Amino acid sequence: MANDLKFADPASREMALKAKQENIDTVWDRYKSMQPQCGFGSLGLCCTNCSMGPCRIDPFGEGPDKGICGASADTIAARNIARMIAGGAAAHSDHGRDVAHTLLLAAGDKNCDYKIKDESKLKRVATNYNIAVENRSTKDIARDVAKKALEEFGKYEGTIDILSYAPPNRRKVWDALGITPRSIDREIVETMHRTHMGVDVDYKNIIRHGMRTAIADGWGGSLVATELSDVLFGSPTPLRAEANLGVLKKDWVNVVVHGHEPTLSDIIAVVSQAPDMIALAKEKGAAGINVAGICCTANEILMRHGIPLAGSFLQQELAIMTGAVDAMVVDVQCIMPGLDKISGCFHTRLITTSPKCKMPGVTHMEFKEEAATSIARQILTEAIDNFPNRQPSKTHIPEHREDLVAGFSTESIFRFLGGTYRSTYRPLNDAIISGRLRGAAGVIGCSNPNIDYEKGHIQMVKELIKNDVLVVTTGCNAISCAKHGLLKPESAFEYAGKGLQEVCAAVGIPPVIHLGSCVDNSRILTTLTAVLAEGGLGDDLCHLPVAGAAPEWMSEKAVSIGFYFVASGVYTVIGHPLPMMGSPNLKAYLTDEIEFEVGGKWAFQPDPVKAAHMMLAHIDKKRAALKLKPMMYPQSVPPMEIQGSK
Ligand code: SF4
Ligand code: MSK
C-alpha cells in the first residue's frame, strides 16, 4: 500500500517501499485509512463512561453542551485525561511490581536464575528505605527491600516511602496541594472511581488527583522498576553498540525481543551466548544467534548488555518485513496487534510470553521467573528451528546502522562528571551557572504515524543541542537519536553549540545522553534532584533551567509521564495536544493556571523546531530568575518570536 509520509531514516524508507511494492499494510496505511479521525474523540468531548451514553459535546455550540447525565465538556475531557494517566501509571507500575517480585525470588531461592548484580546499589536503595545494611547478608537486605517496594503498591496508611528520593521543597508543594501519593495502586484505583459516572465533576479536582496518580508512577512505580532493575540486572555503565534494522544479520538466527520488561529478555541475551545454543544454531546452518531489540525491551538490554537496537515503536512491523527475523518475542506494552498479520506474510515466529498479553492464534510460551533459563532456551530453540524456513527471495535487510554510546544513569553521570574519586555534579552545575551550557532538556517518548517518522524527535533534539542545551533521552526518542548518530560523542562537533561542545569534549560524553527505557524517566527525576542538591540553581526543581518534551507521543504512559514532570515543576511540551482541546477551561488550566500550583505546565506545539524554541525561552526565563551569567556563546540562538512560554 502507498503511504505519503516522509522518513528521515533511510532503513525505514527502504522497508516502507518494500511494503508498497508487496502490497503489505503497515501502521502508516492503517493510519491513513482511519482519516478523518473522530473529532469528538480528538477534542476529548466523547464519553463512554456509562450506558446512558455514549455522549458527545458539540464543540461549535450548536448541539448538546452536556452529556445525558449533565456532565460538561470540562468534566468529560478531564475524566478522559485522568483515565489516560491511570492507564499509563498502571502499565509502568505493574512493570515495577514484577521487578520487585523477581527481586524477592532472587533473595529467597538459592537456585533462582536471577542474581543480585549490583550490591552497592542494593545497599543505597536499602538505606533510602531506612533498611539496615550493616552486618547483614545481601539476600536478607534484598528480601527487605523487595518487600518494602511491594508494600508501596498497597499501603493502607501514610504515603509512599520512596518519595524520599524527591527534593524536600517539592514534597512540600505536593503536601500543600494534597497530591502526595498514599500508595501506587490506591491512586490508580481512585482515579477510576472518581471518573466513574456521577462522582467527581470539578475538572481541576479531577486533574489534581490525576497528578497524584502520575506522581505515584514517576516517583513510585517507575522509580521502583528502575532502582530494582539496577540491583538485579546491574546498573548501566557506558558502552558502545549499534542501532537500526541493519543490525539484523543475514546468516545468523535473528531473535528480536520487543516490549518493555527486562526479566525475560535479560536471560535471553545471556542464554543466546551459551555454547550449546550456538552449536544448535550452527547445526541448522546459521553462523550464530543475534539478539536485537525493539522499543523499551531493547533499551533495557542495550543498557546492560550492549545488545543492538533494531528499531523503535514504528519499526516493529518493518523488522518482520526484512524476512530475516526468525522469532519476535514480545512481553508487554507497545506491541501492535497488527504484528500477527504481518508475521503471517513471512516466516517469523511471533511468540507472546506474558499472561497479560496474548494474541489469538499466536504461539504463547508463558514466561515464569521461576523457570526463566529453561523458558529462554525453549524460545531460542523455536527461533533456531525456524531459521531454515527463511525464504531468501523474501529477505531484505537494509544496510543502515549507526554507532552509539548508551548506558548512562544518574550515578554514572556523577562519575563521568567528577571522576572516580570525587563523584559530583559540580562540573555540570558550573557549566550552567557560567553560561557555557544553557540548561538541560529531557526529550523522550514514542513515535506516532501522525507526523513524518522521526522528524519531531530529530529536529527538536538538534535544535536544542545547537543552542547549548544538554539533552537526556529515553524510550523511542533515544532509539531515534541513536539511529541518527546523536548518541556518539563526536556528534557534538557536528551538531552542538560551542559551549556544549566544550563540555562534551572535556567530559567525553555525547550531547544526547541515553538514560534507558520509559520507566527510566525516573532517572531524569533523580538526575534533576542530584543537580538541585549540588547547589547554585535554586531550591526546588521548578527553579532549574530545564524543560521536557515528547514530540511524537502516542501512549497513555506518555500522558502519565508528562503529568509527573509537570507536577515536579517542569515545563513540558508535546507535539499534538492532549485530547482536551474541546474544553477551553481545561486547556487554560493545563497550559497556564497549573503553573501557579506546581511550578510546571503543559504546552502543545506540533512544529518541533518551534517547540524547541519554546523550551529555550523557558530555560532562559529560569536562567534570568536565577540571575545566572549571560551565555558564553550567545550567537548560537537565532531570535524568534515565541508563543506560549511565560
Ligand atoms: Fe454520557 Fe454522563 Fe454516561 Fe458519560 S457518564 S456516557 S456523559 S451519561
Ligand atoms: S516503547 S511507550 S512507544 S517511548 Fe517505551 Fe516507545 Fe512510547 Fe512505547
Side-chain angles (χ1 to χ4, degrees), residues 92 258-260 294-297 299 312-314 316 333-335 444-447 457 474-479 517-519 521 552-558 561:
H92 284 148
H258 170 24
H260 276 76
I294 297 265
C295 276
C296 281
T297 294
N299 286 323
S312 68
F313 173 68
L314 287 184
Q316 56 190 284
Q333 302 169 25
C334 302
I335 297 147
I444 63 144
C446 326
S447 311
H457 292 307
T474 61
C476 289
N477 179 275
I479 298 173
S517 67
C518 292
V519 293
N521 284 312
E552 301 186 24
W553 77 279
M554 156 293 288
S555 75
E556 291 174 323
K557 292 177 289 177
I561 293 165

Side-chain angles (χ1 to χ4, degrees), residues 57-69:
I57 306 295
D58 186 340
F60 305 111
E62 290 165 10
D65 67 349
K66 297 264 189 298
I68 294 168
C69 65

Side-chain angles (χ1 to χ4, degrees), residues 193-271:
H193 178 193
R194 283 177 184 239
T195 55
H196 186 277
M197 186 266 150
V199 187
D200 206 348
V201 177
D202 179 342
Y203 67 97
K204 290 188 182 177
N205 205 41
I206 294 168
I207 292 299
R208 285 186 199 118
H209 183 74
M211 283 197 282
R212 191 181 216 176
T213 308
I215 296 165
D217 171 357
W219 294 93
S222 285
L223 189 52
V224 165
T226 297
E227 293 295 271
L228 301 195
S229 292
D230 285 354
V231 170
L232 266 177
F233 307 115
S235 294
T237 50
L239 46 72
R240 286 192 176 272
E242 292 182 318
N244 215 342
L245 294 170
V247 304
L248 298 173
K249 293 184 179 174
K250 185 164 167 270
D251 299 320
W252 293 52
V253 175
N254 289 307
V255 180
V256 171
V257 289
H258 170 24
H260 276 76
E261 296 193 348
T263 33
L264 171 59
S265 51
D266 197 89
I267 296 274
I268 285 181
V270 173
V271 172

Side-chain angles (χ1 to χ4, degrees), residues 105 111 113-114 255 257 262-272 276-277 280 289 327-331 349 351-355 363-385:
L105 273 179
N111 297 319
D113 292 338
Y114 299 96
V255 180
V257 289
T263 33
L264 171 59
S265 51
D266 197 89
I267 296 274
I268 285 181
V270 173
V271 172
S272 69
D276 63 326
M277 296 308 293
L280 193 60
I289 304 170
M328 182 175 276
V329 185
V330 302
D331 50 71
R349 179 65 59 90
I351 302 172
T352 57
T353 58
S354 167
T363 304
H364 183 71
M365 300 177 74
E366 194 146 315
F367 172 63
K368 292 186 179 66
E369 287 83 353
E370 296 83 348
T373 299
S374 130
I375 293 162
R377 293 177 71 85
Q378 286 169 35
I379 288 171
L380 286 169
T381 305
E382 281 283 320
I384 292 166
D385 286 345

